[in-house]
Amino acid sequence: MESEKGRCLIFSAPSGSGKTTMVRHLLRKFPDLSFSVSATSREPRMGETPGKDYIFLSAQEFREKIKAGEFLEWEEVYPNRFYGTLKSEVRRVWAEGKHVVFDVDVEGGVSLKEIFGAKALAVFVQAPSVAILEQRLRARSTESEESIRARLGKAEKELAYASKFDTVLINDNLDEALERVEQLTREFLDA
Ligand code: ADP
Ligand code: 5GP
């Protein structure tokens, strides 16, 4: 996918590490960033807006879009729960003259970095420990016990992907992490 000036910021992390928090902060701070709304076959959570947080599809609709070649990348992140980046989202953001921000799982992040190369900054967000990750997932109160277990079970494997990213952002103290992510973004966009 080609664009004169459009760049990408890719955020990946084990679930609960704080990447949504980082991404929302950047979208508020930088008016020339715009979020790539992913498609998913999972159920909407309380407070999520269809078309804004995700494009919610049935598993069958998702499979049809895979067949039609509409995704830049997609993953079955949890069994029967698909997540993917639509080519149309990247085109939409670049057509607005903005830079695109992705919030994707670690494999999706590596795929997008391979696609966009130097046009992309790939950031791996990491909680200070798995115990803290568990605390944050529980405190968020959005997941069932089963879903928390699944997410923690995946976290160990996902942490091994950190070295494939351009940078690792440790999200310990929130204010410091937000400041750091702003600084990384400014450096990348000004380069
Ligand atoms: P992710 O998008 O990676 O799944 P979230 O951004 O939803 O993670 O963060 C998980 C939970 O942890 C949320 O409830 C969020 O408010 C909280 N959180 C994020 N960063 C911190 C931090 N530095 N300290 C404490 N809690 C945090
Ligand atoms: P959640 O269900 O917590 O919103 O997301 C679960 C995981 O799916 C997170 O790691 C999230 O980043 C990832 N995810 C969201 N959208 C996409 C996407 O378009 N592609 C990929 N590969 N992963 C995604």
Side-chain angles (χ1 to χ4, degrees):
M1 301 196 77
E2 282 308 315
S3 153
E4 291 285 302
K5 67 187 265 281
R7 300 215 209 157
C8 317
L9 290 160
I10 304 166
F11 287 87
S12 299
S15 178
S17 307
K19 70 185 172 324
T20 307
T21 307
M22 299 298 129
V23 165
R24 288 200 177 141
H25 177 76
L26 290 179
L27 291 168
R28 275 194 302 268
K29 277 269 167 177
F30 294 84
D32 56 348
L33 297 183
S34 185
F35 186 57
S36 163
V37 183
S38 292
T40 183
S41 65
R42 79 150 161 76
E43 293 296 313
R45 283 187 196 129
M46 280 265 287
E48 283 182 332
T49 311
K52 186 166 167 275
D53 295 294
Y54 279 109
I55 296 160
F56 293 100
L57 304 173
S58 66
Q60 194 191 333
E61 286 169 326
F62 202 105
R63 286 197 185 90
E64 280 162 15
K65 288 193 187 294
I66 295 171
K67 256 197 227 147
E70 291 185 34
F71 288 105
L72 209 48
E73 62 78 35
W74 61 272
E75 300 285 338
E76 194 171 359
V77 176
Y78 306 102
N80 226 8
R81 288 191 174 191
F82 295 93
Y83 295 80
T85 305
L86 290 160
K87 292 176 185 169
S88 56
E89 275 298 293
V90 179
R91 279 194 219 107
R92 175 184 65 77
V93 171
W94 281 351
E96 288 169 6
K98 295 189 177 186
H99 306 292
V100 56
V101 180
F102 299 106
D103 172 341
V104 295
D105 85 313
V106 295
E107 289 182 37
V110 171
S111 302
L112 290 172
K113 177 65 188 176
E114 276 170 12
I115 293 168
F116 293 112
K119 287 168 81 77
L121 176 71
V123 182
F124 188 95
V125 181
Q126 195 173 323
S129 68
V130 175
I132 291 178
L133 185 68
E134 178 168 0
Q135 272 174 23
R136 288 185 187 167
L137 275 173
R138 291 192 184 285
R140 193 171 69 184
S141 307
T142 52
E143 308 303 318
S144 63
E145 184 58 30
E146 188 192 353
S147 171
I148 290 174
R149 288 279 137 225
R151 281 160 200 262
L152 289 172
K154 253 192 137 188
E156 297 282 357
K157 221 170 74 195
E158 289 170 327
L159 286 168
Y161 281 76
S163 62
K164 295 181 191 283
F165 284 71
D166 294 318
T167 187
V168 176
L169 177 71
I170 304 288
N171 177 19
D172 188 352
N173 176 282
L174 183 58
D175 288 340
E176 282 171 22
L178 293 176
E179 203 171 301
R180 178 81 188 117
V181 79
E182 267 184 56
Q183 187 191 359
L184 283 168
T185 302
R186 233 175 252 118
E187 281 168 11
F188 175 66
L189 295 180
D190 289 349

